[in-house]
Amino acid sequence: MTAIENDTDTVRIPLNRDRVLRAAVSIADSDGIGAVTMRRVGQELGVEAMSLYNHVANKDDLLDGMVEAIVDEVLRDVATREPPGTPDDWKRVARVRILTAREVMLAHPWAPAVIETRTEMTPELVAYFDGLLGILLAGGMSFDLGHHAMHALGSRALGFSQELFVPDDTQEPSGPELREMAAAFPNLAGMLQAVSHDGDEPVLGWCDDQTEFTFGLDLILDGLDRLRRSSEDRQA
Amino acid sequence: MTAIENDTDTVRIPLNRDRVLRAAVSIADSDGIGAVTMRRVGQELGVEAMSLYNHVANKDDLLDGMVEAIVDEVLRDVATREPPGTPDDWKRVARVRILTAREVMLAHPWAPAVIETRTEMTPELVAYFDGLLGILLAGGMSFDLGHHAMHALGSRALGFSQELFVPDDTQEPSGPELREMAAAFPNLAGMLQAVSHDGDEPVLGWCDDQTEFTFGLDLILDGLDRLRRSSEDRQA
DNA sequence: ACCTGAACACCGTTCAAGT
DNA sequence: ACCTGAACACCGTTCAAGT
C-alpha cells in the first residue's frame, strides 16, 4: 500500500520550473503567444494558475524563461553543427551559425517578438553572442570592429529581422484600384509589377523571406569582411 | 442665451479621431505605451472610455492610428529636409531621409515597438517606403535590387534597429565576478575591456547607439552601392 | 449622432487557508 | 514546501439607455 503510494507519487511528475517553461513554449508553438496565460499554462499542467508562482516569479519571468529555453535550443543545434576550426573562413562559419539560429526561430515563430521585448540579457543569450563574437575575432577582426559588427547584425545575429516592408499580396488590386495606387506610389507599383513577373526563383507570396534574409546577411558579412581586410592592410 | 450656448458649444471642442490619436500619442510620449489604455485616453480628453469607440474601432485601431500619426510626422519632416534633385548622390539623400526618420523615433521611443506589432501597412507607411524606393531607383538601382535593398534595410529604413546585443553596463561587475565572467565569456569580456578603454569617441554608456546605427546603415548603403555599380558594369 | 453607466469576460496577482 | 480557492485591481469591450 505504501509502495503503491510511492508509485503514484512518481507517476505524478512533480512540477518544476523546466516543466512550466516547456508547457508555455508548447502552448506558444501551437496557439500563439497570446494563448500563453498563467491560467492556460496551469491548465496544461493539470494545476491551478497560482501554483506556477512557486516556480516562476511572475509572467515576465515566465517569458524570460521561454526565451531561455529557445536560446538553449539554438546553442545545442549550433554546437552540433559548427564547422571545426577554420578561422580564416569566418564568414561561412558565422553564416552557418546564424542560419542555424534562424531555423530554430522559424520553428518558434513567436520567439522573435518575445525576445525583442526582453530588456535584460540572459546568460544563454550572452553565451550565444560570445560564441559569435569569437568567430569574428578568430577571423581577424579587432575588438572594435567586432563590437560594431555585433550591433550592425542586430537581430540578424539571432536569425531574424523584423520585416516592416511587407506589401500584402493577398488582396490583388483590381484594375481601377491598381491604376490609383500606381499614381500615388509609382515606385512601389513599378517594382511590384517588375518583381512579381520575375518567376525564376522560389518565392513565397511575391517575395521569399529566406532569400531576403540571406541577401541582407551576406550584404552585411561582405561589408564587414571588407572592413576587416582594409584594417589589416593598414596595420601591415 | 442661445448665442452663449453656441459659444460653449465651440469652446467644448468636439471629439474626433485626430484628437483621440493625439491624446494617445501624448500619453505614450510622457508615460510610456503601457499607460495608453482606453480609460486613460478618455480621461485625458475629459470623456468616458466608451466614447472613444465612436472614433476608433478598437484598441488595435487606436494603435494603428498612433503609428499613422508618427509616420505623418516623419513624412512632414522628410519633405522639408530632402535635398533637391541629386539622383547620383543617392546614398547621401537616402541617409538624410533615414536619419530624419530616426529623429522622430527618438522623440517617440515607444513607436518602434508599436510599429513592429502592426501587421498591415498604412498608406502613410507605403508613402514613406515609396519615397525611399524612389531615391534608390533614381540612383540607378534596378527594381530587383531596389526590392532587395528595402528588405535588407528592414527597420533601419524607418530609423531604428532593435538592439538585442545590449550588455548592461549599469552593474559594474566586481573583481571576482569579472574574473568568472571572463572565464565563461572570454570574447565578450575581452571586447568589453578593450572598447570601454577606448575613450576617444562620444559614448553613452559604453556604446553609442547613434554611432552604431550609422555604422550599420553606412555598411548596408555602401554594400548596396557596390552591387548597383557592378550591375551597371555588367549591363554596359 | 454622440456620450454614459453598468456590466461582462478575461487578465496578472495577493493572500489566507489548506495538506 | 507546495498547492488551492476566493478575491482584487485592471484590462478591452458590449449593450441598453440617455441626450
Side-chain angles (χ1 to χ4, degrees):
Chain A
M1 193 59 174
T2 48
I4 290 171
E5 269 189 3
N6 279 350
D7 253 328
T8 55
D9 274 3
T10 35
V11 166
R12 179 172 298 185
I13 314 158
L15 213 53
N16 57 39
R17 182 179 167 90
D18 203 59
R19 284 191 65 217
V20 171
L21 299 184
R22 277 211 303 272
V25 166
S26 154
I27 294 168
D29 285 346
S30 55
D31 294 354
I33 192 68
V36 179
T37 65
M38 301 302 274
R39 283 166 175 85
R40 172 72 186 278
V41 175
Q43 180 188 313
E44 216 78 6
L45 293 163
V47 106
E48 294 300 311
M50 315 314 146
S51 303
L52 304 177
Y53 285 87
N54 290 309
H55 305 101
V56 293
N58 48 38
K59 177 78 182 276
D60 217 56
D61 187 39
L62 176 67
L63 293 173
D64 280 339
M66 291 173 73
V67 170
E68 205 178 294
I70 294 310
V71 180
D72 263 335
E73 195 178 327
V74 170
L75 286 172
R76 276 197 304 275
D77 290 5
V78 153
T80 62
R81 226 190 289 183
E82 198 116 298
T86 49
D88 51 326
D89 199 10
W90 75 268
K91 255 201 306 189
R92 209 190 94 248
V93 180
R95 215 183 115 105
V96 167
R97 168 175 274 247
I98 288 172
L99 292 180
T100 300
R102 178 170 175 79
E103 279 176 38
V104 175
M105 296 301 157
L106 290 174
H108 306 282
W110 51 270
V114 175
I115 291 173
E116 279 170 18
T117 65
R118 302 298 87 193
T119 52
E120 291 186 31
M121 291 254 276
T122 66
E124 288 76 16
L125 224 36
V126 176
Y128 177 81
F129 284 131
D130 189 73
L132 180 57
L133 178 60
I135 296 168
L136 306 186
L137 298 178
M141 285 196 196
S142 66
F143 281 124
D144 198 52
L145 182 54
H147 177 218
H148 287 315
M150 300 296 285
H151 282 288
L153 285 167
S155 70
R156 272 200 175 81
L158 263 169
F160 64 93
S161 68
Q162 78 287 43
E163 288 288 345
L164 302 175
F165 176 65
V166 187
D168 59 351
D169 52 335
T170 53
Q171 46 176 36
E172 197 71 25
S174 60
E177 269 176 1
L178 196 138
R179 198 167 314 139
E180 200 181 320
M181 185 198 145
F185 311 117
N187 303 305
L188 283 174
M191 183 189 77
L192 204 150
Q193 202 164 17
V195 178
S196 68
H197 284 321
D198 213 63
D200 59 345
E201 48 175 323
V203 288
L204 301 170
W206 70 277
C207 56
D208 183 340
D209 286 65
Q210 184 70 12
T211 300
E212 298 306 335
F213 183 84
T214 55
F215 177 89
L217 178 60
D218 289 334
L219 193 73
I220 294 172
L221 294 180
D222 288 345
L224 291 170
D225 201 40
R226 205 167 280 113
L227 290 175
R228 180 193 58 79
R229 281 200 307 268
S230 73
S231 74
E232 278 185 352
D233 291 351
R234 219 177 305 133
Q235 286 187 336
Chain B
M1 192 60 174
T2 49
I4 290 171
E5 271 189 1
N6 280 349
D7 254 329
T8 54
D9 275 3
T10 36
V11 165
R12 177 172 301 187
I13 314 159
L15 213 53
N16 58 40
R17 182 178 167 90
D18 203 59
R19 284 191 64 216
V20 171
L21 299 184
R22 277 211 303 272
V25 166
S26 154
I27 293 168
D29 284 347
S30 56
D31 295 353
I33 193 67
V36 178
T37 66
M38 300 303 273
R39 283 167 175 85
R40 172 73 187 278
V41 175
Q43 180 187 312
E44 215 79 4
L45 293 163
V47 106
E48 294 299 313
M50 316 314 146
S51 303
L52 303 177
Y53 285 87
N54 290 309
H55 304 101
V56 294
N58 47 38
K59 178 79 182 278
D60 217 57
D61 187 40
L62 176 68
L63 293 174
D64 279 340
M66 291 173 72
V67 170
E68 203 178 295
I70 295 309
V71 180
D72 263 335
E73 196 178 326
V74 170
L75 287 172
R76 276 197 304 276
D77 289 6
V78 153
T80 62
R81 226 190 288 183
E82 198 114 300
T86 49
D88 53 325
D89 198 10
W90 75 268
K91 255 200 307 190
R92 211 190 91 250
V93 179
R95 214 182 116 105
V96 167
R97 167 174 275 247
I98 288 171
L99 291 180
T100 300
R102 178 170 175 79
E103 280 177 38
V104 175
M105 297 300 157
L106 290 174
H108 307 283
W110 51 270
V114 176
I115 291 174
E116 278 171 18
T117 63
R118 300 299 88 194
T119 52
E120 293 187 29
M121 291 254 276
T122 65
E124 287 77 15
L125 224 34
V126 176
Y128 177 80
F129 284 130
D130 189 74
L132 180 56
L133 179 60
I135 295 169
L136 306 186
L137 297 179
M141 284 195 197
S142 66
F143 281 123
D144 197 53
L145 182 55
H147 177 217
H148 286 316
M150 299 296 285
H151 282 288
L153 284 167
S155 71
R156 272 199 174 83
L158 263 169
F160 64 93
S161 67
Q162 76 288 42
E163 288 288 343
L164 302 176
F165 177 65
V166 187
D168 60 352
D169 52 335
T170 54
Q171 45 177 38
E172 198 71 26
S174 61
E177 271 176 358
L178 197 138
R179 197 165 318 136
E180 199 180 322
M181 184 196 145
F185 312 117
N187 304 304
L188 283 175
M191 183 189 77
L192 203 150
Q193 201 164 18
V195 178
S196 69
H197 284 322
D198 213 65
D200 59 345
E201 47 174 323
V203 288
L204 301 170
W206 71 277
C207 56
D208 184 339
D209 287 67
Q210 182 72 11
T211 299
E212 298 307 335
F213 182 85
T214 54
F215 176 88
L217 177 60
D218 289 335
L219 193 73
I220 294 172
L221 293 180
D222 288 345
L224 291 171
D225 202 39
R226 205 166 282 114
L227 290 175
R228 180 193 58 78
R229 281 200 307 268
S230 73
S231 74
E232 278 184 354
D233 292 350
R234 219 177 305 132
Q235 287 187 336

